[in-house]
Amino acid sequence: MKILVIQQKMIGDVLTSTVICETLKANYPNCVIHYLINNNTKPVAVGNPFIDKIVALTSEHRKNKWTLFKFITSIKNEKYTWVIDSYGKIESNLISLFSGAAVKSSFYKPYSKFIYTHTMERYQVSKNGCNTSIEHRLNLLEKLVDTIDYSITPKIYLSTTELEAAAKKLKKIKTNKLLMVSILGSSTSKTYPHNYMAKILDTVVKNTKAILLVNYIPSQLEEVTAIYNKCEPITKQNILLDIYGKDLREFLAITAHCNALIGNEGGATNMAKALNIPTFSIFSPQISKSSWNHGEDDSKNMSVHILDFIETPEIIDSKKLYAKFTPDLIIPKLNTFLSKNLS
């Protein structure tokens, strides 16, 4: 049996959807699984033993209708038995529709339900004790497999060579307290205010004397520097901006050597969890905490959301809500996390 799993979204979504592949392999060990993802998210799926082939959708495939048609044709030629579409947007609808697969499963939407043999409706509250981002994906297999383990979590697999190269890069750092900081979110609306983040970093360094590495890419250096400049002098001494992952796999290997990751919730948090690294995340007001806080235990993985502290009406303006989400609300829980993971 050959199965295509589709997830054409961002890194956190692609990583989370790997639980589908692992569950399929657990139920059908001899099946062949291809994972269709956007090319830029490929690094989080490389080396995964539950994925037999990564099918990368590139910007070239989206260049025009003809190149997309040829890509869809290549999918049809693979003769998949099943298609599990955990993306559920127009592009994956078309891929599923023309795949020729006998079984097609996705999320219920009125305009696309005719494409699939199985559909699943999303809901707000977990029914199986895990967060809904994982639960919804596993529910796509509900009528297709005998056993679903809802305690499953996404995992990232690094090679010995990658880990050794990262260790060599970090060799000159003399500390047993090394933290990765997710200093920026994926957008302004998902980024904790700069002056507040500086106070968070000041607190971390003051209370732990840890060395801080920063998750960023060169194009973000100006924004990262703006936060750095708001920090206390002693904090600046402990922030190493010249050590960063030059690509996503190198970032993963460096993070694997850290004691923990703290900062804005997002792809970096999900990747750290998948590496079994402790995390402390600050959720954007516009993101549902219950959807993405998997693995939290008030010890190794912790998070904060404004709704943990303040009753608010319907979330409509993340900037105004972030203004209320002051560091003094976060710091007590952050200090608990630090004492448990950087002792």
mmCIF file of all heavy atoms in Angstrom, residues 156-173:
data_model
loop_
_atom_site.group_PDB
_atom_site.id
_atom_site.type_symbol
_atom_site.label_atom_id
_atom_site.label_comp_id
_atom_site.label_asym_id
_atom_site.label_seq_id
_atom_site.Cartn_x
_atom_site.Cartn_y
_atom_site.Cartn_z
ATOM 1 N N ILE A 156 12.118 15.046 15.672
ATOM 2 C CA ILE A 156 13.099 15.419 14.649
ATOM 3 C C ILE A 156 14.309 14.508 14.807
ATOM 4 O O ILE A 156 14.742 14.206 15.924
ATOM 5 C CB ILE A 156 13.511 16.896 14.787
ATOM 6 C CG1 ILE A 156 12.371 17.798 14.304
ATOM 7 C CG2 ILE A 156 14.788 17.195 14.000
ATOM 8 C CD1 ILE A 156 12.602 19.274 14.546
ATOM 9 N N TYR A 157 14.874 14.095 13.683
ATOM 10 C CA TYR A 157 15.988 13.143 13.692
ATOM 11 C C TYR A 157 17.227 13.796 13.078
ATOM 12 O O TYR A 157 17.221 14.194 11.916
ATOM 13 C CB TYR A 157 15.591 11.883 12.914
ATOM 14 C CG TYR A 157 14.405 11.175 13.525
ATOM 15 C CD1 TYR A 157 13.099 11.552 13.201
ATOM 16 C CD2 TYR A 157 14.576 10.154 14.465
ATOM 17 C CE1 TYR A 157 12.001 10.925 13.784
ATOM 18 C CE2 TYR A 157 13.479 9.528 15.044
ATOM 19 C CZ TYR A 157 12.199 9.916 14.702
ATOM 20 O OH TYR A 157 11.112 9.301 15.282
ATOM 21 N N LEU A 158 18.268 13.918 13.896
ATOM 22 C CA LEU A 158 19.536 14.493 13.455
ATOM 23 C C LEU A 158 20.601 13.409 13.347
ATOM 24 O O LEU A 158 20.586 12.440 14.105
ATOM 25 C CB LEU A 158 20.005 15.565 14.439
ATOM 26 C CG LEU A 158 19.119 16.814 14.562
ATOM 27 C CD1 LEU A 158 19.547 17.639 15.768
ATOM 28 C CD2 LEU A 158 19.182 17.653 13.295
ATOM 29 N N SER A 159 21.514 13.596 12.430
ATOM 30 C CA SER A 159 22.595 12.621 12.263
ATOM 31 C C SER A 159 23.723 12.907 13.250
ATOM 32 O O SER A 159 23.857 14.028 13.767
ATOM 33 C CB SER A 159 23.147 12.687 10.836
ATOM 34 O OG SER A 159 23.837 13.905 10.623
ATOM 35 N N THR A 160 24.536 11.905 13.491
ATOM 36 C CA THR A 160 25.705 12.081 14.356
ATOM 37 C C THR A 160 26.622 13.154 13.802
ATOM 38 O O THR A 160 27.178 13.970 14.548
ATOM 39 C CB THR A 160 26.467 10.746 14.480
ATOM 40 O OG1 THR A 160 25.587 9.759 15.018
ATOM 41 C CG2 THR A 160 27.682 10.897 15.375
ATOM 42 N N THR A 161 26.765 13.194 12.494
ATOM 43 C CA THR A 161 27.626 14.194 11.841
ATOM 44 C C THR A 161 27.130 15.605 12.117
ATOM 45 O O THR A 161 27.915 16.513 12.426
ATOM 46 C CB THR A 161 27.669 13.948 10.321
ATOM 47 O OG1 THR A 161 28.180 12.637 10.072
ATOM 48 C CG2 THR A 161 28.553 14.968 9.623
ATOM 49 N N GLU A 162 25.817 15.814 12.019
ATOM 50 C CA GLU A 162 25.244 17.135 12.274
ATOM 51 C C GLU A 162 25.456 17.556 13.724
ATOM 52 O O GLU A 162 25.810 18.709 14.004
ATOM 53 C CB GLU A 162 23.752 17.133 11.946
ATOM 54 C CG GLU A 162 23.457 17.058 10.450
ATOM 55 C CD GLU A 162 21.986 16.866 10.149
ATOM 56 O OE1 GLU A 162 21.361 15.996 10.804
ATOM 57 O OE2 GLU A 162 21.458 17.573 9.265
ATOM 58 N N LEU A 163 25.250 16.639 14.648
ATOM 59 C CA LEU A 163 25.416 16.943 16.066
ATOM 60 C C LEU A 163 26.871 17.240 16.409
ATOM 61 O O LEU A 163 27.167 18.158 17.197
ATOM 62 C CB LEU A 163 24.893 15.782 16.911
ATOM 63 C CG LEU A 163 23.377 15.589 16.897
ATOM 64 C CD1 LEU A 163 23.007 14.250 17.540
ATOM 65 C CD2 LEU A 163 22.681 16.737 17.619
ATOM 66 N N GLU A 164 27.791 16.504 15.819
ATOM 67 C CA GLU A 164 29.217 16.714 16.077
ATOM 68 C C GLU A 164 29.684 18.055 15.521
ATOM 69 O O GLU A 164 30.488 18.756 16.141
ATOM 70 C CB GLU A 164 30.037 15.569 15.491
ATOM 71 C CG GLU A 164 29.883 14.263 16.270
ATOM 72 C CD GLU A 164 30.621 13.102 15.623
ATOM 73 O OE1 GLU A 164 31.074 13.265 14.463
ATOM 74 O OE2 GLU A 164 30.738 12.044 16.264
ATOM 75 N N ALA A 165 29.179 18.435 14.353
ATOM 76 C CA ALA A 165 29.550 19.722 13.750
ATOM 77 C C ALA A 165 29.059 20.881 14.620
ATOM 78 O O ALA A 165 29.772 21.879 14.810
ATOM 79 C CB ALA A 165 28.952 19.824 12.344
ATOM 80 N N ALA A 166 27.853 20.743 15.168
ATOM 81 C CA ALA A 166 27.319 21.791 16.042
ATOM 82 C C ALA A 166 28.131 21.877 17.338
ATOM 83 O O ALA A 166 28.423 22.969 17.830
ATOM 84 C CB ALA A 166 25.853 21.518 16.349
ATOM 85 N N ALA A 167 28.488 20.722 17.885
ATOM 86 C CA ALA A 167 29.284 20.693 19.117
ATOM 87 C C ALA A 167 30.628 21.398 18.903
ATOM 88 O O ALA A 167 31.108 22.131 19.777
ATOM 89 C CB ALA A 167 29.504 19.254 19.563
ATOM 90 N N LYS A 168 31.208 21.206 17.736
ATOM 91 C CA LYS A 168 32.482 21.845 17.410
ATOM 92 C C LYS A 168 32.321 23.358 17.347
ATOM 93 O O LYS A 168 33.181 24.121 17.789
ATOM 94 C CB LYS A 168 32.998 21.298 16.070
ATOM 95 C CG LYS A 168 34.382 21.781 15.694
ATOM 96 C CD LYS A 168 34.856 21.115 14.411
ATOM 97 C CE LYS A 168 36.257 21.587 14.038
ATOM 98 N NZ LYS A 168 36.730 20.947 12.777
ATOM 99 N N LYS A 169 31.181 23.790 16.788
ATOM 100 C CA LYS A 169 30.912 25.220 16.666
ATOM 101 C C LYS A 169 30.734 25.877 18.037
ATOM 102 O O LYS A 169 31.055 27.044 18.237
ATOM 103 C CB LYS A 169 29.657 25.438 15.818
ATOM 104 C CG LYS A 169 29.400 26.873 15.424
ATOM 105 C CD LYS A 169 28.332 26.956 14.347
ATOM 106 C CE LYS A 169 28.205 28.377 13.830
ATOM 107 N NZ LYS A 169 27.295 28.484 12.667
ATOM 108 N N LEU A 170 30.240 25.106 18.992
ATOM 109 C CA LEU A 170 29.951 25.634 20.330
ATOM 110 C C LEU A 170 31.086 25.391 21.317
ATOM 111 O O LEU A 170 30.996 25.794 22.482
ATOM 112 C CB LEU A 170 28.671 24.974 20.875
ATOM 113 C CG LEU A 170 27.385 25.187 20.061
ATOM 114 C CD1 LEU A 170 26.270 24.318 20.627
ATOM 115 C CD2 LEU A 170 26.975 26.647 20.063
ATOM 116 N N LYS A 171 32.144 24.779 20.849
ATOM 117 C CA LYS A 171 33.217 24.316 21.727
ATOM 118 C C LYS A 171 33.832 25.433 22.572
ATOM 119 O O LYS A 171 34.213 25.234 23.737
ATOM 120 C CB LYS A 171 34.303 23.638 20.891
ATOM 121 C CG LYS A 171 35.367 22.917 21.711
ATOM 122 C CD LYS A 171 36.328 22.165 20.796
ATOM 123 C CE LYS A 171 37.375 21.422 21.596
ATOM 124 N NZ LYS A 171 38.334 20.699 20.706
ATOM 125 N N LYS A 172 33.936 26.634 22.024
ATOM 126 C CA LYS A 172 34.603 27.731 22.717
ATOM 127 C C LYS A 172 33.736 28.380 23.792
ATOM 128 O O LYS A 172 34.213 29.209 24.569
ATOM 129 C CB LYS A 172 35.050 28.791 21.702
ATOM 130 C CG LYS A 172 36.159 28.303 20.773
ATOM 131 C CD LYS A 172 36.587 29.408 19.817
ATOM 132 C CE LYS A 172 37.696 28.909 18.875
ATOM 133 N NZ LYS A 172 38.107 29.972 17.916
ATOM 134 N N ILE A 173 32.459 28.028 23.836
ATOM 135 C CA ILE A 173 31.558 28.603 24.839
ATOM 136 C C ILE A 173 31.714 27.827 26.139
ATOM 137 O O ILE A 173 31.363 26.647 26.218
ATOM 138 C CB ILE A 173 30.088 28.556 24.374
ATOM 139 C CG1 ILE A 173 29.930 29.280 23.034
ATOM 140 C CG2 ILE A 173 29.182 29.182 25.417
ATOM 141 C CD1 ILE A 173 28.534 29.176 22.461
#
